[in-house]
Amino acid sequence: MPESAEEIHARVVAAVGEDGRLPMPSMGEWDVFPWEVVDGAIAPKRLARPAPEKPRQGEGGEGCHACAGFSGVIWENERWVVTHPRERGGLPLLLFLQPKEHLDLTDLDDAMAAEYGRLQVWLHRIMGNLPHIARVHVDKWGDGAEHLHTWYDGLHVVAA
Ligand SMILES: [Zn+2]
C-alpha cells in the first residue's frame, strides 16, 4: 500500500528534522547527472566531447543482475515479472516491469510486444486506482542496464 503524502512528510521530518532536507541521492554522483555546484550555485555541467557509449550492465546477458534473479516480486507469469525495488523506495510507490528472458525493448517479438503493451496499461490502471496515487509516470531509459526494465512511478495526491 503506498504511503500518503502526510505519512511520507512525517517520516522525512522524523529522519532529518523540521528542515525536511533529505541528503542528495546517489544519482547526484552519476556521470550523466547534468548539474554541478559552481561558486556555491547550481549550474549545468559543461558539455562533454562526444565519446563512445560505455557498455551497459549485463551486455549480451553476461553478468546480468536481472537474469541472476528478481527480488521484490509482486506478480509474475511465464514471461514477465513485476517487482517492487525496496532498496530504491519510490515516493509513494515504484514498480518495475521486466521480461524474464534477457531481452531489450527492440528484441521483443510481436506477441511479447503486445503483452508488454497490455501489462503497461494494466499496471498504470491498477496503480492509478490505489490510495494516495494521483498519476503514474512510465519510464524506459535503458542507459544503465541492457535487460529491459520499465519504471512505473506513482505520484502523490494530497488530500484537500
Ligand atoms: Zn538479463
Side-chain angles (χ1 to χ4, degrees), residues 62-121:
E62 293 294 319
C64 176
H65 294 164
C67 287
F70 300 99
S71 61
V73 174
I74 62 169
W75 177 89
E76 64 184 312
N77 67 12
E78 305 86 50
R79 295 163 300 284
W80 297 93
V81 62
V82 175
T83 60
H84 177 229
R86 287 170 178 76
E87 71 281 357
R88 291 184 185 260
L91 296 176
L93 181 61
L94 170 64
L95 300 178
F96 286 152
L97 172 63
Q98 298 173 274
K100 287 185 172 177
E101 185 180 351
H102 187 88
L103 298 169
D104 203 348
L105 183 67
T106 55
D107 298 328
L108 300 179
D109 63 20
D110 287 351
M112 284 287 284
E115 189 173 29
Y116 178 63
R118 283 192 303 276
L119 291 171
Q120 288 202 56
V121 172

